[in-house]
Amino acid sequence: MKISIKILVVLLLVVTLFACEKEKTDISLERDGTLYEVADQVSFYYPKDFQLNVNNENQKDVRFTKNDEMYIYATIIDDTDNVLNELPQLYGGQLEEEGAIDVYYYKEVIPSGIECYQFTGTYQASGMKFVQMVYFTEEASYIYSYQAPENVYDEQSGVALQYLESLTVHH
């Protein structure tokens, strides 16, 4: 009797664990997304149901929005003499200066074959969480990011990462 109760409890815990685990939603970038190209230098996909923010013409970035969610692409020209391997730490510090908290980053190779840094954090003033793919070169930094309110971010960040990992820098 004691053994069957223990087995029942273990099975219940295992079922609960699997039920609580988030399912990863795989997407097809070509089917579910739209290709965006920045001249012949950069390309990436963004979700088809997001709209290009046309009120952003004079800015240095491209924004795609849907409700409170936003994908942002920017190229920042680097005319400094900073050392390439120090750029991730400097960029993390810049995010913190702009009001981001809990900023973390790590290096990864994305499907296009480039080594990017994935940054995560929260903009304290707005409460928006973000994830960014950043590719550093000695000439420029290429930043593709996603941000949303915490509840939306937690639900959509897995899909957002698949779009962010579509970043391709042609050089």
Side-chain angles (χ1 to χ4, degrees), residues 71-86:
Y71 285 86
I72 305 168
Y73 172 78
T75 302
I76 300 173
I77 303 301
D78 187 358
D79 55 0
T80 67
D81 59 355
N82 292 324
V83 179
L84 186 60
N85 64 357
E86 294 175 355

Side-chain angles (χ1 to χ4, degrees), residues 40-54:
D40 60 348
Q41 299 176 351
V42 177
S43 62
F44 56 85
Y45 284 89
Y46 68 92
K48 281 185 178 178
D49 56 344
F50 278 64
Q51 299 297 314
L52 175 63
N53 184 341
V54 293

Side-chain angles (χ1 to χ4, degrees), residues 78-171:
D78 187 358
D79 55 0
T80 67
D81 59 355
N82 292 324
V83 179
L84 186 60
N85 64 357
E86 294 175 355
L87 292 178
Q89 184 176 3
L90 293 171
Y91 183 71
Q94 179 183 343
L95 287 171
E96 290 172 345
E97 284 179 14
E98 294 171 356
I101 57 172
D102 301 325
V103 175
Y104 300 99
Y105 67 91
Y106 68 91
K107 185 179 357 178
E108 69 175 286
V109 177
I110 60 175
S112 65
I114 61 176
E115 268 190 3
C116 286
Y117 286 83
Q118 184 183 121
F119 285 82
T120 57
T122 303
Y123 291 113
Q124 191 169 13
S126 65
M128 299 284 269
K129 290 180 79 172
F130 66 85
V131 58
Q132 301 180 347
M133 277 304 156
V134 184
Y135 178 61
F136 297 104
T137 68
E138 297 204 6
E139 296 80 33
S141 298
Y142 304 89
I143 306 161
Y144 190 26
S145 64
Y146 169 77
Q147 66 181 38
E150 183 174 357
N151 60 331
V152 177
Y153 177 91
D154 291 343
E155 187 176 303
Q156 295 297 320
S157 62
V159 170
L161 269 175
Q162 293 174 67
Y163 283 105
L164 297 182
E165 290 177 347
S166 73
L167 178 66
T168 304
V169 179
H170 314 278
H171 42 70

